[in-house]
Amino acid sequence: MPQTSVVFSSFLGPSCSGQAQPGMGERGGGAGGGSGDLIFQEGRLISGSLEALMEHLVPRVDYYPDRTYIFTFLLSSRVFVPPRDLLARVGQICLEQRQQLEAGPEKAKLKSFSAKIVQLLKEWTEAFPYDFQDEKAMAELKAITHRVTQCDEENGTVKKAIAQMTQSLLLSLAARSQFQELREKLRPPAVDKGPVLKTKPPAAQKDILGVCCDPLVLAQQLTHIELDRVSSIHPEDLMQIISHMDSLDNHRVSGRGLWPALGPQPVPHVVKKKHRTRMLEFFIDVARECFNIGNFNSMMAIISGMNLSPVARLKKTWSKVKTAKFDILEHHMDPSSNFCNYRTALQGATQRSQMANSSREKIVIPVFNLFVKDIYFLHKIHTNHLPNGHINFKKFWEISRQIHEFMTWTQVECPFEKDKKIQSYLLTAPIYSEEALFIASFESEGPENHMEKDSWKTLRTTLLNRA
């Protein structure tokens, strides 16, 4: 598993509720009392019934949940209950506590209690705005806020906080909707049919060297795109992925659709061997610059692209390439020992980010499919429920830690100047299918053995049938 941020580890701390906790293995009553116990170990909440965990989320006059507990429970609870149902239950608990305050001797503390409820809702809407996208959830939010404003008739401070929270929530939902529409517009076209692919590309279609010949600049532009795309990923998106993946084989987690196609796919289409060699060496340098920046996702995409069979089989081209730098990059991405070399490099980049004085040093873009697989396996190898029926909250602490660390990386502002021309090329260049790449590869360097000759013959037959 990737190393968890030292900063976030201390942020979580041994205590998870903002109050002193029972000792190892001791039970603590739920926030409402009598609804199910919470189990603590060395002051750390490790399990509890769903009802007790929900009650532990809701503030009281003398209690407010720790921020890390709020984030972790709101993130993990969607595995067991839809967010709108959780919101409805939170509303019920709030109403019950409000009624108790109104009927008891602590009525004067009602306003303080209402302010804490609004603060909880504010943190919820900021961390998980998409939980409120449907009408039922928004209606429930309005119902809760309406009840808590009834105690704020004098100066309206609670009402003002609710108005600000609601405005921020609506802006977040609008921004996410706009980004999804833009992403669909910028999705590059897939080029699958062989007749479209000729040995010589159309005059209007430049290769990457005609747009950018500086590896560092291209690496910086790729980093721009990566950070733009990754900023649209939300914690609940990651939780939904790992919760609904029946198997990794049947569910693509490579990030295509979130990330652009970055591999050197056009290489087989280049006519002259000398130019193909230059193209490969250029991409090797780009991958190295991505590694230095901390952009491991683009680096992996480029290396994977170079190892695709249609590219790897170009032996005459590769014979002219100086591969020493490529060998080093492949060493960093060696899959043996569960990508041990990559994880060491990622840990180093993470530590650099934590101690960074500039935005350039803060950049960490992990290999997305490996990150998702890590939290997926963490989710699969540990059960959701313990033998006593409690939710295994210790498991969700760890998943939350890793997702939170990922989210801190997504918030880094890219320090590099954006080049619209290069970005437009990267975002709109066609994505070639494996079949199309093989056709271009065989046209560049003919088949050398019986297997390749059979493959080439099959591809040509397919082309003729399509024509």
Side-chain angles (χ1 to χ4, degrees), residues 166-182:
T166 304
Q167 184 179 14
S168 297
L169 173 60
L170 294 175
L171 289 173
S172 296
L173 291 173
R176 182 164 183 174
S177 177
Q178 290 173 1
F179 179 85
Q180 289 175 334
E181 292 176 3
L182 179 62

Side-chain angles (χ1 to χ4, degrees), residues 271-286:
V271 179
K272 295 182 179 180
K273 180 173 66 178
K274 184 177 181 180
H275 193 52
R276 288 198 300 273
T277 301
R278 184 186 172 202
M279 182 83 78
L280 286 172
E281 291 180 337
F282 175 74
F283 272 110
I284 291 171
D285 287 337
V286 173

